[in-house]
Amino acid sequence: MVRGRANVNVHPVDCDSPHFNVDVLILQRITGSVPSERMWEKAWPHTGGLKLADPEYAQALPIDLLLGADVFPYLILGDKKEGDVGQPIALSTVFGWVLMEKCPTAPKSKIVTAMCDHRFHRFELCSGF
């Protein structure tokens, strides 16, 4: 149930730009903690030394802000690093590098999620299959 509406200014924690003014809906809860199942942190050669947008990506944490497809293209900086098959792809964003990969335990009917967290800015991108 929608509890209210607001306009928020979203920007990386360590700088004032870029910034995005976003109209938001205020909800009690967006979704459960993400990731929904325990992930094992690994060191992949192609991700070594990257400043991750979410250094705690393997911990199940609540989602504070869900940004939609209208904002997502403006977050991506364009750099991409790929490893071997089965390893995550790293995409550069204004918040840092985001790791994306197939969820190995998720059945095809589940929603696949990717997350980005830069201290207090957490967002989730969802697509159903």
Side-chain angles (χ1 to χ4, degrees), residues 12-15 47-55 91-98 117-119:
V13 172
D14 53 356
C15 58
T47 62
L50 297 180
K51 178 187 169 195
L52 296 180
D54 182 5
L91 295 176
S92 62
T93 75
V94 298
F95 300 112
W97 289 84
V98 178
D117 178 2
H118 198 291
R119 297 186 193 114

Short mmCIF file of all heavy atoms in Angstrom, two decimals, residues 12-15 47-55 91-98 117-119:
data_model
loop_
_atom_site.label_atom_id
_atom_site.label_comp_id
_atom_site.label_asym_id
_atom_site.label_seq_id
_atom_site.Cartn_x
_atom_site.Cartn_y
_atom_site.Cartn_z
N PRO A 12 25.71 9.95 -5.93
CA PRO A 12 26.72 9.15 -5.23
C PRO A 12 27.08 9.80 -3.90
O PRO A 12 27.06 11.03 -3.77
CB PRO A 12 27.92 9.16 -6.19
CG PRO A 12 27.32 9.44 -7.53
CD PRO A 12 26.14 10.34 -7.26
N VAL A 13 27.40 8.98 -2.92
CA VAL A 13 27.69 9.48 -1.58
C VAL A 13 28.91 10.38 -1.56
O VAL A 13 28.92 11.39 -0.86
CB VAL A 13 27.91 8.29 -0.60
CG1 VAL A 13 28.40 8.76 0.74
CG2 VAL A 13 26.62 7.51 -0.45
N ASP A 14 29.92 10.08 -2.36
CA ASP A 14 31.18 10.81 -2.27
C ASP A 14 31.28 12.02 -3.20
O ASP A 14 32.33 12.64 -3.29
CB ASP A 14 32.35 9.86 -2.50
CG ASP A 14 32.22 9.07 -3.80
OD1 ASP A 14 31.19 9.20 -4.49
OD2 ASP A 14 33.15 8.31 -4.12
N CYS A 15 30.21 12.38 -3.91
CA CYS A 15 30.23 13.58 -4.75
C CYS A 15 28.80 14.07 -5.02
O CYS A 15 27.84 13.34 -4.83
CB CYS A 15 30.98 13.34 -6.06
SG CYS A 15 30.35 12.00 -7.05
N THR A 47 37.57 -8.75 -11.60
CA THR A 47 36.95 -7.80 -10.68
C THR A 47 37.92 -7.29 -9.61
O THR A 47 37.55 -6.43 -8.82
CB THR A 47 35.72 -8.40 -9.98
OG1 THR A 47 36.13 -9.53 -9.18
CG2 THR A 47 34.67 -8.84 -10.99
N GLY A 48 39.12 -7.79 -9.61
CA GLY A 48 40.12 -7.37 -8.62
C GLY A 48 40.41 -5.88 -8.73
O GLY A 48 40.60 -5.34 -9.81
N GLY A 49 40.41 -5.19 -7.60
CA GLY A 49 40.74 -3.78 -7.56
C GLY A 49 39.62 -2.83 -7.95
O GLY A 49 39.80 -1.62 -7.92
N LEU A 50 38.45 -3.37 -8.31
CA LEU A 50 37.33 -2.50 -8.67
C LEU A 50 36.67 -1.94 -7.41
O LEU A 50 36.50 -2.65 -6.43
CB LEU A 50 36.28 -3.26 -9.47
CG LEU A 50 36.71 -3.83 -10.82
CD1 LEU A 50 35.54 -4.57 -11.48
CD2 LEU A 50 37.23 -2.73 -11.73
N LYS A 51 36.26 -0.68 -7.46
CA LYS A 51 35.49 -0.08 -6.38
C LYS A 51 34.04 -0.49 -6.59
O LYS A 51 33.35 0.04 -7.47
CB LYS A 51 35.62 1.44 -6.40
CG LYS A 51 34.80 2.13 -5.33
CD LYS A 51 34.85 3.63 -5.51
CE LYS A 51 33.80 4.27 -4.61
NZ LYS A 51 33.54 5.65 -4.96
N LEU A 52 33.59 -1.46 -5.82
CA LEU A 52 32.23 -1.97 -5.98
C LEU A 52 31.21 -1.00 -5.42
O LEU A 52 31.43 -0.39 -4.37
CB LEU A 52 32.08 -3.33 -5.28
CG LEU A 52 32.93 -4.47 -5.83
CD1 LEU A 52 32.65 -5.74 -5.03
CD2 LEU A 52 32.65 -4.70 -7.30
N ALA A 53 30.11 -0.86 -6.12
CA ALA A 53 29.02 -0.03 -5.63
C ALA A 53 28.47 -0.59 -4.33
O ALA A 53 28.04 0.14 -3.46
CB ALA A 53 27.91 0.05 -6.69
N ASP A 54 28.50 -1.91 -4.20
CA ASP A 54 28.02 -2.58 -2.99
C ASP A 54 29.10 -3.54 -2.49
O ASP A 54 29.12 -4.70 -2.87
CB ASP A 54 26.73 -3.34 -3.29
CG ASP A 54 26.15 -4.02 -2.06
OD1 ASP A 54 26.70 -3.82 -0.95
OD2 ASP A 54 25.16 -4.74 -2.20
N PRO A 55 30.02 -3.05 -1.64
CA PRO A 55 31.07 -3.93 -1.14
C PRO A 55 30.53 -5.08 -0.29
O PRO A 55 31.21 -6.07 -0.07
CB PRO A 55 31.96 -3.01 -0.29
CG PRO A 55 31.45 -1.64 -0.47
CD PRO A 55 30.14 -1.70 -1.17
N LEU A 91 29.73 -4.04 -14.42
CA LEU A 91 29.35 -2.84 -15.18
C LEU A 91 29.67 -1.62 -14.34
O LEU A 91 29.37 -1.57 -13.15
CB LEU A 91 27.86 -2.85 -15.49
CG LEU A 91 27.33 -3.94 -16.41
CD1 LEU A 91 25.82 -3.84 -16.52
CD2 LEU A 91 27.97 -3.85 -17.77
N SER A 92 30.26 -0.60 -14.97
CA SER A 92 30.57 0.62 -14.24
C SER A 92 29.33 1.51 -14.17
O SER A 92 28.61 1.67 -15.15
CB SER A 92 31.73 1.37 -14.89
OG SER A 92 31.40 1.77 -16.20
N THR A 93 29.08 2.04 -12.98
CA THR A 93 27.95 2.94 -12.76
C THR A 93 28.44 4.17 -12.00
O THR A 93 29.57 4.20 -11.51
CB THR A 93 26.83 2.27 -11.93
OG1 THR A 93 27.24 2.20 -10.56
CG2 THR A 93 26.48 0.89 -12.45
N VAL A 94 27.59 5.15 -11.88
CA VAL A 94 27.94 6.36 -11.13
C VAL A 94 28.17 6.05 -9.66
O VAL A 94 28.82 6.83 -8.96
CB VAL A 94 26.87 7.47 -11.28
CG1 VAL A 94 26.74 7.90 -12.73
CG2 VAL A 94 25.54 7.04 -10.71
N PHE A 95 27.68 4.92 -9.17
CA PHE A 95 27.85 4.52 -7.77
C PHE A 95 29.05 3.62 -7.56
O PHE A 95 29.38 3.29 -6.43
CB PHE A 95 26.59 3.81 -7.26
CG PHE A 95 25.36 4.66 -7.33
CD1 PHE A 95 24.34 4.35 -8.21
CD2 PHE A 95 25.21 5.76 -6.51
CE1 PHE A 95 23.20 5.14 -8.27
CE2 PHE A 95 24.08 6.56 -6.57
CZ PHE A 95 23.06 6.24 -7.45
N GLY A 96 29.69 3.17 -8.62
CA GLY A 96 30.77 2.20 -8.54
C GLY A 96 30.43 1.02 -9.46
O GLY A 96 29.48 1.08 -10.24
N TRP A 97 31.20 -0.04 -9.36
CA TRP A 97 31.00 -1.21 -10.22
C TRP A 97 29.92 -2.12 -9.65
O TRP A 97 29.88 -2.37 -8.45
CB TRP A 97 32.30 -1.99 -10.36
CG TRP A 97 33.31 -1.26 -11.21
CD1 TRP A 97 34.17 -0.31 -10.78
CD2 TRP A 97 33.52 -1.43 -12.60
NE1 TRP A 97 34.93 0.14 -11.84
CE2 TRP A 97 34.56 -0.54 -12.96
CE3 TRP A 97 32.96 -2.25 -13.58
CZ2 TRP A 97 35.03 -0.45 -14.27
CZ3 TRP A 97 33.44 -2.16 -14.88
CH2 TRP A 97 34.45 -1.27 -15.21
N VAL A 98 29.04 -2.60 -10.53
CA VAL A 98 27.95 -3.50 -10.16
C VAL A 98 28.24 -4.87 -10.76
O VAL A 98 28.59 -4.97 -11.94
CB VAL A 98 26.61 -2.98 -10.71
CG1 VAL A 98 25.48 -3.93 -10.38
CG2 VAL A 98 26.31 -1.60 -10.17
N ASP A 117 24.60 -0.86 -4.09
CA ASP A 117 24.51 -0.16 -2.82
C ASP A 117 25.77 0.66 -2.65
O ASP A 117 26.86 0.15 -2.75
CB ASP A 117 24.38 -1.19 -1.69
CG ASP A 117 24.32 -0.55 -0.32
OD1 ASP A 117 24.34 0.68 -0.22
OD2 ASP A 117 24.24 -1.31 0.65
N HIS A 118 25.61 1.92 -2.44
CA HIS A 118 26.75 2.76 -2.11
C HIS A 118 26.40 3.41 -0.78
O HIS A 118 25.77 4.45 -0.72
CB HIS A 118 27.01 3.80 -3.19
CG HIS A 118 28.38 4.36 -3.07
ND1 HIS A 118 28.77 5.17 -2.03
CD2 HIS A 118 29.47 4.20 -3.83
CE1 HIS A 118 30.03 5.50 -2.17
NE2 HIS A 118 30.48 4.93 -3.27
N ARG A 119 26.73 2.72 0.29
CA ARG A 119 26.40 3.08 1.66
C ARG A 119 24.89 3.13 1.82
O ARG A 119 24.27 2.09 1.96
CB ARG A 119 27.11 4.36 2.06
CG ARG A 119 28.61 4.13 2.04
CD ARG A 119 29.39 5.29 2.57
NE ARG A 119 30.78 5.09 2.23
CZ ARG A 119 31.43 5.85 1.39
NH1 ARG A 119 30.87 6.90 0.84
NH2 ARG A 119 32.68 5.59 1.11
#
